Amino acid sequence: MSQTKTSVVTRFAPSPTGYLHIGGARTALFNWLLARRYGGKYLLRIEDTDRERSTDDAIRAIIDGLDWLGLGADDDVVFQYARKPRHVEVVEALVERGHAYPCYATAEELAEMRAKAEADGRPPIYDGRWRDRDPSEAPAGVAPAMRLKTAQDGETVIADKVQGDVTFENANLDDLIILRSDGTPTYNLAVVVDDHDMGVTDVLRGVDHLINSARQVQIYRAMGWKLPSFAHVPLIHGPDGKKLSKRHGALGIEAYRAMGYLPDALKNYLVRLGWSQGDQEYFTEAELIAVFGYDGLNKSPARLDFDKLDDMNAHYMRQASAEELLRHIDGLFDAIEGGADLRRRFGEVGFGRLEALLPALVERAKTLLDVVNGARFLISERPLTLDAKAEKVLDQEARARLGPIAKRLESVEPWSAEAVEQAVRDYLDEAALKLGKIGPSLRAALTGTTVSPPIFDTVAALPKNEAVARINDVAAT
């Protein structure tokens, strides 16, 4: 790559007609990394020209999602709709240069035109009927759309950094509308103007925009502007190899946050979903910035694999400090339904108890949600509701053994996992029993389930009086 330090300017330009989906987050990440690699700038533009479908909620979700991932822009966010006067100014310049013209074709005429082209086996493109007509022929009282005079012969070649040279026959690129009859700029026009004015040097986006690049090149050339570098990455597919859609599960970044993924783990997973550097799987942010580039981007679509994402997230959780995990858990409470109540209830029993249990919880967890669910017994109210498996474990024989255990635990000092274990094992030795005879029922009594961190950690995580009371609640009298 020939760019010099500080020469690269990238951008992420989502449309706020929906939330930030996983493919968009990956595109933002690639642009962020490319800018960081070359000491350049990474910009954010909200393409909100579709006023009917753009929403403030979607804008907030996009910006919040990027901030959560650590992909905030290096400059103020640009809102495309606010730049409408500049877009119109460029359209007027194109008309003055003879590169654009007014088109008075009606919706009915355009529909008829498309139908005839399809019937003749031709691409359903505009036939240029107003391209060279005299303005005096314009119908009275009709506001025209403005069309670009696209080259009619030859080829447009996109020198793509990922796909290689991609060739489009100009005969198949019709005179696209750049300004609608109601005076609003179209996507392809606004994108080119904004990218030029923002100094964007590298346009890295999804492969579904390749045809747009061919059209946009016409505008760059008509205005005499320097072309940016283009790179079009394959879309993300679902596990079944088909284009990612709602049927494949969570799409919005806010959903991945609510499922308990760490932002660094998600970024590491996303960057490997379409880019590679040898066989290395795990990268620190500094490592990614040092090596990320076009040469590692793949041409074939990547498949979303939740098992791999879970494994990567589990790795990151085990590497994180307790302070980091608690901070992310607090953020999780903001993202999940009922999170505020969970935060309050954990606060009432003391987050120190959750922190003390983190090593044991993280050892078997894939996500932060697993951690929180595994710790719910800390905030359960007596008497506990037993699930079906816990009920089965707590048969009459098991309940009979719990009373003596509770009695032993009443005198344990200091209250720690080690002291609890010693007291329980002393009882087991005297009763000539194995831990397997008492462990499952003790776990069921304390948590209402048959799954928890190691049993002695579980006992000690509760206040002594609470642990003893829970055991006595189910012990045979």
Side-chain angles (χ1 to χ4, degrees):
M1 186 171 174
S2 60
Q3 282 92 337
T4 58
K5 287 281 187 179
T6 74
S7 69
V8 171
V9 178
T10 66
R11 52 73 161 173
F12 176 53
S15 172
T17 55
Y19 296 148
L20 177 63
H21 59 80
I22 199 76
R26 187 189 64 167
T27 299
L29 175 60
F30 286 171
N31 279 282
W32 185 90
L33 285 170
L34 194 65
R36 291 293 177 275
R37 167 80 185 276
Y38 293 97
K41 292 181 74 174
Y42 156 77
L43 306 175
L44 173 63
R45 182 173 70 238
I46 302 295
E47 299 194 331
D48 56 345
T49 53
D50 186 340
R51 305 308 290 169
E52 289 186 4
R53 297 175 59 220
S54 296
T55 68
D56 290 340
D57 284 346
I59 291 172
R60 279 192 297 271
I62 289 169
I63 293 174
D64 288 349
L66 291 172
D67 287 344
W68 176 69
L69 286 169
L71 302 178
D74 296 329
D75 212 333
D76 292 341
V77 178
V78 173
F79 290 88
Q80 193 168 66
Y81 181 72
R83 291 178 44 78
K84 178 182 174 182
R86 169 60 175 158
H87 302 149
V88 173
E89 176 186 295
V90 171
V91 172
E92 291 170 348
L94 287 167
V95 173
E96 289 175 7
R97 294 174 181 217
H99 293 303
Y101 62 91
C103 171
Y104 295 89
T106 65
E108 292 74 19
E109 286 178 309
L110 293 172
E112 181 182 331
M113 193 186 304
R114 283 192 293 268
K116 186 175 188 310
E118 289 174 356
D120 294 343
R122 295 181 285 107
I125 60 177
Y126 177 69
D127 63 6
R129 62 182 59 189
W130 280 95
R131 183 180 175 106
D132 298 310
R133 287 171 71 172
D134 192 286
S136 64
E137 298 181 43
V142 177
M146 306 305 296
R147 287 185 181 269
L148 183 75
K149 276 191 176 180
T150 302
Q152 293 182 305
D153 52 21
E155 299 173 337
T156 294
V157 179
I158 305 298
D160 195 274
K161 297 283 190 178
V162 177
Q163 305 297 328
D165 287 353
V166 183
T167 301
F168 295 86
E169 297 292 332
N170 288 336
N172 294 328
L173 299 175
D174 59 349
D175 290 355
L176 73 154
I177 293 175
I178 53 177
L179 193 71
R180 300 181 184 90
S181 59
D182 63 2
T184 59
T186 59
Y187 168 80
N188 281 305
L189 182 281
V191 165
V192 171
V193 176
D194 292 346
D195 282 346
H196 172 266
D197 289 359
M198 293 167 68
V200 173
T201 62
D202 291 65
V203 173
L204 193 165
R205 55 191 175 187
V207 73
D208 52 329
H209 282 287
L210 247 176
I211 184 62
N212 286 331
S213 293
R215 293 177 174 128
Q216 290 163 15
V217 162
Q218 313 291 322
I219 301 173
Y220 277 103
R221 289 175 175 161
M223 288 299 296
W225 292 341
K226 182 180 178 181
L227 290 175
S229 294
F230 288 105
H232 293 85
V233 294
L235 304 181
I236 298 174
H237 286 187
D240 57 2
K242 296 180 180 178
K243 185 178 176 181
L244 196 62
S245 65
K246 290 182 180 179
R247 72 177 180 277
H248 293 112
L251 292 177
I253 285 300
E254 74 285 348
Y256 289 84
R257 185 180 186 184
M259 288 191 293
Y261 293 108
L262 296 176
D264 285 346
L266 188 56
K267 282 193 295 185
N268 194 151
Y269 178 74
L270 286 178
V271 80
R272 291 289 289 111
L273 205 62
W275 174 86
S276 59
Q277 177 76 9
D279 295 327
Q280 187 172 347
E281 286 287 335
Y282 298 100
F283 292 84
T284 65
E285 187 174 281
E287 287 173 333
L288 282 174
I289 290 172
V291 300
F292 183 83
Y294 290 125
D295 54 350
L297 290 169
N298 303 326
K299 290 179 67 172
S300 56
R303 293 192 183 193
L304 188 64
D305 185 333
F306 276 100
D307 289 336
K308 279 191 175 181
L309 175 55
D310 285 349
D311 289 343
M312 186 161 281
N313 199 66
H315 169 85
Y316 271 83
M317 288 200 304
R318 289 192 291 271
Q319 302 300 311
S321 67
E323 182 182 8
E324 288 178 280
L325 289 172
L326 287 174
R327 177 168 55 83
H328 286 302
I329 287 171
D330 191 61
L332 177 66
F333 290 148
D334 289 329
I336 62 176
E337 187 175 349
D341 183 57
L342 282 174
R343 181 189 286 117
R344 176 187 61 78
R345 290 165 63 191
F346 274 109
E348 288 173 353
V349 302
F351 279 98
R353 294 196 174 276
L354 174 58
E355 182 176 356
L357 203 57
L358 279 176
L361 289 167
V362 166
E363 194 59 36
R364 62 172 59 204
K366 296 288 188 181
T367 67
L368 291 175
L369 200 56
D370 291 340
V371 172
V372 171
N373 288 335
R376 280 179 182 266
F377 74 92
L378 293 173
I379 57 175
S380 297
E381 295 181 356
R382 297 178 45 230
L384 270 58
T385 300
L386 306 177
D387 66 21
K389 290 182 179 179
E391 287 275 14
K392 187 174 181 180
V393 164
L394 286 168
D395 58 22
Q396 195 60 32
E397 182 182 359
R399 291 173 185 265
R401 295 191 181 111
L402 288 176
I405 292 288
K407 193 71 175 172
R408 295 289 182 116
L409 293 179
E410 286 177 357
S411 59
V412 170
E413 285 293 343
W415 187 248
S416 66
E418 295 77 15
V420 166
E421 180 175 4
Q422 188 60 56
V424 172
R425 291 196 181 279
D426 286 346
Y427 165 76
L428 293 174
D429 289 343
E430 293 171 15
L433 296 171
K434 299 291 186 183
L435 182 60
K437 280 292 187 180
I438 194 67
S441 57
L442 189 55
R443 178 174 283 109
L446 293 167
T447 69
T449 71
T450 55
V451 178
S452 80
I455 187 59
F456 300 120
D457 291 323
T458 299
V459 178
L462 293 164
K464 179 165 67 173
N465 61 337
E466 177 71 14
V468 170
R470 291 188 187 190
I471 297 169
N472 280 328
D473 282 345
V474 297
T477 55

